[in-house]
Amino acid sequence: MVTLKDIALASGVSAATVSYVLNDCGNVKISAPTREKVLAAAKRLGYEPNELARSVRRGYSNVIALVSTTGPGSDYFYNIFNSICRTATHLDFAVKVQSLENDASCVLKMLMEQRVAGVIFHAADFGTCRELARELLKREIPIAAVNCRADIPECPSFASDDFGGAAAAVHCLHESGCRRIACMTHRGDCDYIRLRNEGFCHAMRELFPDQEPFFIDDTDFTDRPTRNRIWKLLKNPDTRPDGIFCIADGHAFHFYQLAYELGIRVPEEVSIIGYGDLSGAADAMVPLTTVRQAFAEMGRMAAESVIAAARGGGVITSPRIVELPASVLMRRSVRKRK
């Protein structure tokens, strides 16, 4: 193992000078020739820095944590995680994943022991992260939220324009000729549910001011009474919507199953749009038109902001909520207007 003394002997300077150069100490003046001589010797000897020792000196490691409440099995997590990892690697950082299924105090203890440089939260509802987020801020660890909206000013959020994405889906159905449009949704207090429902209502009132926005509750899809109620609605051509916006692709897949059982043709009789572009959407029997979210951009921006704050030694001062555009990705589940 190559030591600082080895590099000092090879370059003809003191071990302290080598330390100043390799740790890039800006408060110590080192001449350019000396710096180049030390770096050349370190490279020639195959010196590998001790990151653990560095983290002790500067107070944090080159690791950021992704704390998630959704679990690594979800498509949303996978797409965002990949982007965060690519960004962190480019900036010479690593990413550690931590589940918030554990007690928040235990998670905090682990994050502090590992001297993480910053934390990115990924959750459907930021409320589940709030306690841990406040504790991290007390310790001056920069944080950010991705694919959700935080209610803490020092925690910038990078999320999809859920309102605009839902409205765009309704306009797409309208342009295809649909005139009885419903929203398949589910109950919950999460921001994304509320915003997508509101976006649907806003577009419907714009396009059909005399119609009351119509919702199909898919919360208890496996519940027999709920399933029977939706079955009856769809079985009758006089009450059946001719276009359905689903606030998540999973609901669209549920509708596909019902349509198959009832003999309803998609998109000839009912056009459908999902939200999220999950795996399987493009490969369904009828490829699903869906609202595409900018997961890669969310992950990149969250990682960049946290790492920049860690290197600057302060909290993040970027805008509180950054909403990234969500656009309709056309496939075959929406009929073409004749």
Side-chain angles (χ1 to χ4, degrees):
M1 178 178 173
V2 179
T3 67
L4 298 187
K5 289 183 179 179
D6 296 329
I7 300 172
L9 287 172
S11 56
V13 298
S14 68
T17 299
V18 172
S19 177
Y20 294 146
V21 171
L22 295 181
N23 289 294
D24 197 22
C25 296
N27 59 335
V28 179
K29 292 185 178 181
I30 306 290
S31 69
T34 299
R35 184 179 298 276
E36 291 174 6
K37 186 164 54 175
V38 170
L39 293 175
K43 183 177 181 180
R44 186 171 64 253
L45 294 173
Y47 171 74
E48 294 289 341
N50 185 329
E51 184 54 42
L52 179 60
R54 279 185 170 185
S55 69
V56 171
R57 283 193 296 270
R58 67 183 176 227
Y60 66 85
S61 67
N62 66 334
V63 175
I64 59 173
L66 175 59
V67 176
S68 177
T69 63
T70 63
S74 74
D75 276 11
Y76 303 108
F77 176 91
Y78 179 77
N79 291 328
I80 291 168
F81 173 69
N82 278 350
S83 177
I84 290 173
C85 283
R86 284 194 300 270
T87 305
T89 300
H90 178 71
L91 297 172
D92 297 322
F93 274 69
V95 181
K96 176 180 177 59
V97 177
Q98 180 65 57
S99 172
L100 246 189
E101 292 177 355
N102 299 319
D103 181 78
S105 60
C106 294
V107 175
L108 176 64
K109 182 174 181 291
M110 285 187 282
L111 295 175
M112 296 308 298
E113 287 176 349
Q114 292 152 10
R115 296 176 178 267
V116 296
V119 175
I120 299 173
F121 290 101
H122 174 255
D125 178 12
F126 186 77
T128 57
C129 310
R130 190 179 298 113
E131 176 187 349
L132 177 57
R134 292 190 185 281
E135 290 300 321
L136 290 168
L137 287 173
K138 287 178 184 177
R139 293 159 175 80
E140 298 184 341
I141 296 176
I143 60 175
V146 64
N147 205 30
C148 64
R149 294 164 178 80
D151 54 7
I152 300 176
E154 299 87 354
C155 181
S157 307
F158 303 91
S160 168
D161 179 6
D162 292 304
F163 183 97
V170 175
H171 278 274
C172 178
L173 290 169
H174 177 261
E175 289 167 6
S176 74
C178 297
R179 293 299 178 264
R180 298 192 307 277
I181 302 173
C183 176
M184 187 172 265
T185 186
H186 59 277
R187 293 185 292 274
D189 297 326
C190 301
D191 282 335
Y192 82 91
I193 299 175
R194 174 180 58 80
L195 289 167
R196 292 175 195 179
N197 288 345
E198 289 177 359
F200 168 77
C201 289
H202 177 80
M204 288 295 292
R205 289 181 178 126
E206 269 189 333
L207 299 168
F208 309 104
D210 297 328
Q211 287 186 30
E212 187 67 25
F214 182 65
F215 289 90
I216 300 172
D217 188 352
D218 192 31
T219 303
D220 300 313
F221 184 79
T222 57
D223 177 63
R224 184 174 294 278
T226 301
R227 186 180 173 86
N228 289 342
R229 178 172 50 80
I230 298 175
W231 181 292
K232 290 178 182 178
L233 169 73
L234 298 175
K235 192 172 184 179
N236 185 347
D238 295 328
T239 61
R240 178 194 305 152
D242 60 358
I244 297 181
F245 163 60
C246 300
I247 70 163
D249 282 353
H251 297 329
F253 298 148
H254 287 170
F255 179 80
Y256 271 6
Q257 181 181 339
L258 279 174
Y260 173 78
E261 294 172 1
L262 291 168
I264 298 172
R265 295 173 299 159
V266 177
E268 291 83 0
E269 294 176 274
V270 179
S271 292
I272 183 165
I273 296 181
Y275 205 114
D277 194 22
L278 300 185
S279 60
D283 300 322
M285 185 174 294
V286 179
L288 179 65
T289 297
T290 187
V291 179
R292 178 167 46 191
Q293 296 171 267
F295 292 123
E297 284 297 295
M298 291 183 208
R300 178 186 63 78
M301 295 174 74
E304 287 178 346
S305 65
V306 165
I307 292 172
R311 285 174 168 168
V315 296
I316 299 173
T317 57
S318 58
R320 182 178 171 188
I321 297 178
V322 177
E323 289 194 334
L324 300 168
S327 57
V328 176
L329 176 60
M330 289 297 296
R331 295 195 180 108
R332 286 168 41 202
S333 65
V334 173
R335 65 177 177 266
K336 295 180 180 178
R337 189 164 189 174
K338 297 178 181 179

